[in-house]
Amino acid sequence: MARALEELDAARDRASVTREELASRLTELTNQRLCLLSMISAVFVPMGLVCSLLGVNLGGIPFRNDKSAFWILCGLFGVGIVVQLWIFRRRRWL
């Protein structure tokens, strides 16, 4: 009976260690996904802000009469994304 109790205690300890290991892996996976989501937000939120500001139909918008203004804005967005990705790689976040 004593041996059976010892084996049950050992099995409970192993199960506890396994549960802690699984919880640790789940936490690490969640942290990685949140980090990726934060980086995606860092790229797209500024573009959304600029687009929403330029989408307002008000006078005085820069380059309103310039036909190449759309492509200039797209180029600036592209440069911004490249700079952000470069910073992320430099800090080893990607």
Side-chain angles (χ1 to χ4, degrees):
M1 183 68 125
R3 185 170 181 197
L5 287 174
E6 288 175 5
E7 286 184 24
L8 284 174
D9 285 339
R12 184 183 60 192
D13 291 340
R14 286 192 303 268
S16 176
V17 168
T18 303
R19 183 174 50 93
E20 290 173 4
E21 180 67 27
L22 287 173
S24 174
R25 287 183 185 179
L26 181 61
T27 302
E28 182 65 29
L29 185 61
T30 302
N31 287 339
Q32 288 175 354
R33 288 180 179 169
L34 284 175
C35 182
L36 179 65
L37 183 61
S38 297
M39 286 188 269
I40 290 171
S41 296
V43 170
F44 288 108
V45 166
M47 289 192 305
L49 175 70
V50 171
C51 287
S52 65
L53 289 176
L54 292 178
V56 177
N57 293 325
L58 297 175
I61 294 175
F63 305 114
R64 181 176 66 193
N65 296 324
D66 190 6
K67 293 186 189 263
S68 64
F70 172 77
W71 296 111
I72 292 171
L73 185 62
C74 288
L76 289 174
F77 283 154
V79 169
I81 290 172
V82 168
V83 167
Q84 285 180 346
L85 290 174
W86 176 75
I87 290 170
F88 291 160
R89 289 203 186 269
R90 188 170 178 215
R91 292 185 177 218
R92 296 188 179 142
W93 291 349
L94 287 179

